[in-house]
Amino acid sequence: MKNEIYKHLKFKIGEESCKYEFRLFPEEDYCCKKYCYDVYLFDKEKDENLFDLKVNKILLYYNADVLTKIDYYFNPKLYTQLKVWISQFLGFPYREIKDENIHFLSWYIGNHYMILKILNSEKVMVLSHQKRKKKKKKGILLGIPKNHYICKL
Protein backbone atom coordinates (compact mmCIF):
# COMPACT_ATOMS: atom_id res chain seq x y z
CA MET A 1 0.00 0.00 0.00
CA LYS A 2 2.87 2.40 0.73
CA ASN A 3 4.03 2.31 -2.88
CA GLU A 4 0.56 3.40 -4.06
CA ILE A 5 1.39 6.96 -2.95
CA TYR A 6 3.93 7.25 -5.79
CA LYS A 7 1.10 7.19 -8.33
CA HIS A 8 -0.05 10.56 -6.92
CA LEU A 9 3.37 12.22 -6.81
CA LYS A 10 4.39 14.12 -9.93
CA PHE A 11 8.09 14.17 -9.00
CA LYS A 12 10.30 11.22 -8.11
CA ILE A 13 13.41 11.38 -5.95
CA GLY A 14 16.40 10.64 -8.18
CA GLU A 15 15.03 12.29 -11.34
CA GLU A 16 17.39 14.53 -13.28
CA SER A 17 16.76 18.26 -13.59
CA CYS A 18 16.64 18.09 -17.40
CA LYS A 19 13.20 16.47 -17.19
CA TYR A 20 11.65 19.82 -16.14
CA GLU A 21 14.39 22.25 -17.16
CA PHE A 22 12.07 24.64 -19.03
CA ARG A 23 9.67 24.84 -16.08
CA LEU A 24 12.24 25.59 -13.36
CA PHE A 25 13.11 29.03 -12.00
CA PRO A 26 16.20 29.35 -9.80
CA GLU A 27 15.77 30.29 -6.16
CA GLU A 28 18.50 30.88 -3.60
CA ASP A 29 20.82 27.87 -3.21
CA TYR A 30 20.67 26.02 0.08
CA CYS A 31 23.62 24.45 1.91
CA CYS A 32 23.37 22.08 4.85
CA LYS A 33 26.46 20.49 6.40
CA LYS A 34 28.60 19.32 3.49
CA TYR A 35 25.79 19.25 0.90
CA CYS A 36 24.63 22.13 -1.29
CA TYR A 37 21.39 22.11 -3.20
CA ASP A 38 20.23 24.05 -6.23
CA VAL A 39 16.69 25.12 -5.37
CA TYR A 40 14.13 25.77 -8.09
CA LEU A 41 10.59 27.06 -8.09
CA PHE A 42 8.52 24.80 -10.33
CA ASP A 43 6.31 26.64 -12.83
CA LYS A 44 3.17 24.78 -11.87
CA GLU A 45 -0.16 24.76 -13.61
CA LYS A 46 -2.53 27.34 -12.13
CA ASP A 47 -4.72 24.53 -10.81
CA GLU A 48 -1.90 22.18 -9.71
CA ASN A 49 -3.18 19.59 -7.23
CA LEU A 50 -1.80 16.85 -5.04
CA PHE A 51 -4.35 14.40 -3.60
CA ASP A 52 -7.06 16.70 -5.06
CA LEU A 53 -5.80 19.57 -2.85
CA LYS A 54 -4.58 22.84 -4.38
CA VAL A 55 -0.81 23.34 -4.21
CA ASN A 56 0.30 26.96 -3.75
CA LYS A 57 3.98 26.50 -4.58
CA ILE A 58 6.46 23.70 -5.36
CA LEU A 59 10.19 23.89 -4.62
CA LEU A 60 12.57 21.27 -6.02
CA TYR A 61 16.00 20.63 -4.46
CA TYR A 62 18.74 19.21 -6.70
CA ASN A 63 22.20 18.01 -5.77
CA ALA A 64 24.43 17.43 -8.82
CA ASP A 65 21.31 17.70 -11.04
CA VAL A 66 19.58 14.85 -9.18
CA LEU A 67 16.31 15.56 -7.36
CA THR A 68 16.76 14.96 -3.64
CA LYS A 69 13.82 16.82 -2.08
CA ILE A 70 10.43 18.27 -3.02
CA ASP A 71 8.49 20.83 -0.95
CA TYR A 72 4.78 21.25 -1.66
CA TYR A 73 3.24 24.37 -0.08
CA PHE A 74 -0.43 24.33 0.91
CA ASN A 75 -2.92 26.49 2.73
CA PRO A 76 -2.77 25.36 6.41
CA LYS A 77 -6.57 25.04 6.41
CA LEU A 78 -6.10 21.87 4.34
CA TYR A 79 -4.14 20.14 7.15
CA THR A 80 -6.78 17.57 8.12
CA GLN A 81 -7.55 16.58 4.53
CA LEU A 82 -3.86 16.24 3.64
CA LYS A 83 -3.09 14.21 6.77
CA VAL A 84 -6.00 11.86 5.99
CA TRP A 85 -4.80 11.37 2.39
CA ILE A 86 -1.24 10.57 3.46
CA SER A 87 -2.38 8.32 6.29
CA GLN A 88 -4.53 6.29 3.87
CA PHE A 89 -1.34 5.31 2.04
CA LEU A 90 1.27 5.31 4.79
CA GLY A 91 -0.65 4.61 7.99
CA PHE A 92 -0.05 6.50 11.21
CA PRO A 93 2.87 8.95 11.34
CA TYR A 94 6.14 7.59 12.68
CA ARG A 95 6.67 10.77 14.67
CA GLU A 96 4.38 13.65 15.67
CA ILE A 97 5.41 16.81 17.51
CA LYS A 98 3.15 19.69 18.39
CA ASP A 99 3.96 22.96 20.16
CA GLU A 100 3.00 26.62 19.82
CA ASN A 101 5.34 27.22 16.84
CA ILE A 102 5.19 24.06 14.78
CA HIS A 103 3.16 20.93 14.16
CA PHE A 104 5.31 18.21 12.64
CA LEU A 105 4.49 14.70 11.38
CA SER A 106 6.76 12.25 9.60
CA TRP A 107 6.30 8.97 7.74
CA TYR A 108 8.80 6.58 6.21
CA ILE A 109 8.42 5.31 2.65
CA GLY A 110 11.26 2.86 2.12
CA ASN A 111 14.39 4.99 2.07
CA HIS A 112 12.43 8.28 1.89
CA TYR A 113 10.68 10.54 4.37
CA MET A 114 7.33 12.22 3.94
CA ILE A 115 7.21 15.17 6.34
CA LEU A 116 4.21 17.41 6.97
CA LYS A 117 4.86 20.56 8.96
CA ILE A 118 2.84 23.61 9.81
CA LEU A 119 4.82 26.68 10.80
CA ASN A 120 2.37 28.73 12.87
CA SER A 121 4.53 31.85 12.82
CA GLU A 122 4.47 31.94 9.00
CA LYS A 123 0.97 30.49 8.54
CA VAL A 124 2.25 28.00 6.02
CA MET A 125 2.02 24.22 5.62
CA VAL A 126 4.74 22.28 3.80
CA LEU A 127 4.72 18.66 2.70
CA SER A 128 8.30 17.52 2.07
CA HIS A 129 9.32 14.35 0.31
CA GLN A 130 13.01 13.62 0.65
CA LYS A 131 15.62 10.92 0.75
CA ARG A 132 16.63 9.63 4.18
CA LYS A 133 20.20 10.44 5.03
CA LYS A 134 22.21 7.60 6.53
CA LYS A 135 24.34 9.58 8.94
CA LYS A 136 25.75 8.23 12.15
CA LYS A 137 26.44 11.70 13.56
CA LYS A 138 24.60 12.93 16.60
CA GLY A 139 21.79 15.28 15.77
CA ILE A 140 18.12 15.53 16.52
CA LEU A 141 15.74 17.82 14.69
CA LEU A 142 12.13 17.94 15.75
CA GLY A 143 12.27 14.48 17.29
CA ILE A 144 13.83 12.60 14.38
CA PRO A 145 16.08 9.84 15.77
CA LYS A 146 19.77 10.76 15.76
CA ASN A 147 20.66 8.19 13.09
CA HIS A 148 18.20 9.87 10.68
CA TYR A 149 19.47 13.45 10.64
CA ILE A 150 17.55 15.90 8.47
CA CYS A 151 18.70 19.46 7.88
CA LYS A 152 16.28 22.18 8.91
CA LEU A 153 15.18 24.51 6.10
Side-chain angles (χ1 to χ4, degrees), residues 1-6 8-9 50-53 72 74 78-95 105-109 113-117 125-129:
M1 184 69 172
K2 284 187 176 190
N3 289 333
E4 290 290 315
I5 198 167
Y6 289 115
H8 297 274
L9 302 175
L50 178 64
F51 306 121
D52 295 325
L53 303 173
Y72 300 92
F74 295 90
L78 299 174
Y79 167 76
T80 302
Q81 293 143 303
L82 188 54
K83 182 181 174 186
V84 166
W85 267 106
I86 296 169
S87 295
Q88 285 179 10
F89 294 106
L90 304 178
F92 291 106
Y94 171 78
R95 187 75 84 192
L105 300 111
S106 65
W107 294 265
Y108 292 140
I109 317 170
Y113 282 117
M114 186 71 72
I115 300 168
L116 179 61
K117 56 190 166 204
M125 180 171 64
V126 182
L127 176 65
S128 298
H129 179 209

Side-chain angles (χ1 to χ4, degrees), residues 30-144:
Y30 172 72
C31 291
C32 177
K33 301 288 180 192
K34 63 181 179 179
Y35 299 103
C36 285
Y37 302 93
D38 298 321
V39 182
Y40 294 94
L41 176 65
F42 179 70
D43 181 24
K44 65 181 187 62
E45 310 282 326
K46 77 175 177 183
D47 59 347
E48 189 85 34
N49 290 313
L50 178 64
F51 306 121
D52 295 325
L53 303 173
K54 185 178 188 261
V55 177
N56 295 337
K57 176 169 88 170
I58 301 172
L59 291 179
L60 303 175
Y61 296 75
Y62 290 92
N63 181 279
D65 290 331
V66 176
L67 186 60
T68 56
K69 180 178 178 182
I70 306 110
D71 281 345
Y72 300 92
Y73 288 78
F74 295 90
N75 183 327
K77 293 177 183 177
L78 299 174
Y79 167 76
T80 302
Q81 293 143 303
L82 188 54
K83 182 181 174 186
V84 166
W85 267 106
I86 296 169
S87 295
Q88 285 179 10
F89 294 106
L90 304 178
F92 291 106
Y94 171 78
R95 187 75 84 192
E96 183 169 4
I97 296 172
K98 196 175 197 177
D99 68 23
E100 69 273 357
N101 296 321
I102 193 166
H103 190 168
F104 174 93
L105 300 111
S106 65
W107 294 265
Y108 292 140
I109 317 170
N111 63 348
H112 299 146
Y113 282 117
M114 186 71 72
I115 300 168
L116 179 61
K117 56 190 166 204
I118 299 176
L119 306 172
N120 296 332
S121 60
E122 299 176 29
K123 297 185 174 130
V124 66
M125 180 171 64
V126 182
L127 176 65
S128 298
H129 179 209
Q130 66 189 69
K131 191 173 182 178
R132 286 168 54 182
K133 295 194 176 23
K134 295 178 181 175
K135 296 229 176 227
K136 299 283 183 184
K137 294 182 181 178
K138 183 180 178 186
I140 298 176
L141 170 68
L142 302 172
I144 300 289

